[in-house]
Structures are given as C-alpha cells and as structure tokens.
Amino acid sequence: MAQKQALDGVKVVIIGGVVTAPTMGRYLALHGATVVRVDGHTRMDSMRYQRPIPPEMVGDPNGGVWWASINSGALCIGLNLTKPTGKAIVNRLVRWTDVVVENFSAGTLAKWDVDYHTVAKERPEVIYLSSCLFGQTGPWSPVSGYGTAGAAMAGDDYITGW
C-alpha cells in the first residue's frame, strides 16, 4: 500500500515554459499532486532542445535531458494555443484545477480569459501563481524575459561580479 502524500488529490495546471513554472510543477508532483503541463504543439518549450541531449535523440523534441528532469512527474499535453480548440482546452483545464502556475508575459493569459481575475470569478478558491518577470501590472510589466534579466535588474550581477 502506497503511503499517502501531502498533496494527494490536489490538481495543478502548469502553463508556461523553460524553468520557473515547470520546476514548481515538479516540486508539487513530488509531494503527490496531479500535475498537467501544457506545452505548445506548434511552438514547443525551448527546454526540449537544451543540451545535454543523447546523440541518438538529437532533433527529437523528447530528447532534452533538462526538459525531462524539470517535467518529471507531470502529465503533458501539447496544444496549439493560437487555435480556438487549444484555448478552449486550456480554459477547461484551469476551471478543473485547484492550482494554476503560469509564467507567460504579462497580459497573455488575460487575452485567453484564463488570467486570475477571470478564473477566480468562477473558482474563487483557485490558487493562482503568476511569475512573469516584472509582474502583471506596473511600469515594467511590458518587459519580458527570463530570470537572468530579473537578476541583473535586481543588482545581483553587480554584487556578484563576473
């Protein structure tokens, strides 16, 4: 008999890519949550192609060791998020789940009606983590990028040097 884990029964949807959102999903899955990772069908996560890649899997979207590691424990669905069907599936997923973790650029999920304010109207109990680089609102919100840019803007590069 398997031992009960802390997050058994918790449903999580990860909408985002590279490292931040998928890593959160990995940690939640390690503690028993059911994690569904949404990946683009036509524009796949760039981590799928990050080295190291076993020689026999070069060019295979499932070959990236980092992608496999970061997304271990998650179910994955590939959707074309530019099409109505893909958007409808994401819409259903976020209304099914207990937790949404996303790291798209500010305002992207609002265009698809799956931002916190829209989802919370139907599911006020939803836990929604948005980790875009400079927040959803404010003067820096239009700036997109990865954590390295955030570290530079925060001064980490200055205090740590090369």
Side-chain angles (χ1 to χ4, degrees), residues 17 51-52 56 60 63 68 86 96 104-106 109 138 161:
R51 293 182 188 150
E56 67 277 6
D60 182 336
W96 160 82
F104 273 83
S105 298
L109 295 186

Side-chain angles (χ1 to χ4, degrees), residues 4 13 20 24 36-37 45 48 54 56 58-60 64 70 73-74 79 84 106 108-109 132-133 135 146 153 161:
K4 186 162 175 58
V13 172
T20 305
M24 177 64 69
V36 178
R37 166 77 158 77
D45 188 334
R48 288 180 173 272
E56 67 277 6
V58 171
D60 182 336
I70 289 171
L79 301 172
T108 300
L109 295 186
C132 57
L133 185 61
Y146 297 110
M153 291 298 291

Side-chain angles (χ1 to χ4, degrees), residues 126-161:
V126 73
I127 298 169
Y128 198 106
L129 172 64
S130 176
S131 64
C132 57
L133 185 61
F134 292 115
Q136 292 289 337
T137 61
W140 286 89
S141 63
V143 178
S144 61
Y146 297 110
T148 51
M153 291 298 291
D156 286 355
D157 295 348
Y158 179 77
I159 62 172
T160 60

Side-chain angles (χ1 to χ4, degrees), residues 57-126:
M57 296 190 83
V58 171
D60 182 336
N62 296 313
V65 173
W66 287 112
W67 190 90
S69 175
I70 289 171
N71 291 283
S72 65
L75 304 168
C76 188
I77 183 170
L79 301 172
N80 185 339
L81 299 173
T82 65
K83 302 286 185 188
T85 304
K87 291 178 187 175
I89 292 169
V90 168
N91 204 302
R92 287 182 62 197
L93 279 171
V94 299
R95 281 153 178 83
W96 160 82
T97 193
D98 302 306
V99 179
V100 176
V101 180
E102 68 93 1
N103 66 341
F104 273 83
S105 298
T108 300
L109 295 186
K111 294 175 193 172
W112 301 341
D113 292 327
V114 291
D115 60 308
Y116 171 74
H117 298 293
T118 306
V119 173
K121 285 178 187 172
E122 292 177 41
R123 300 275 323 270
E125 70 282 4
V126 73

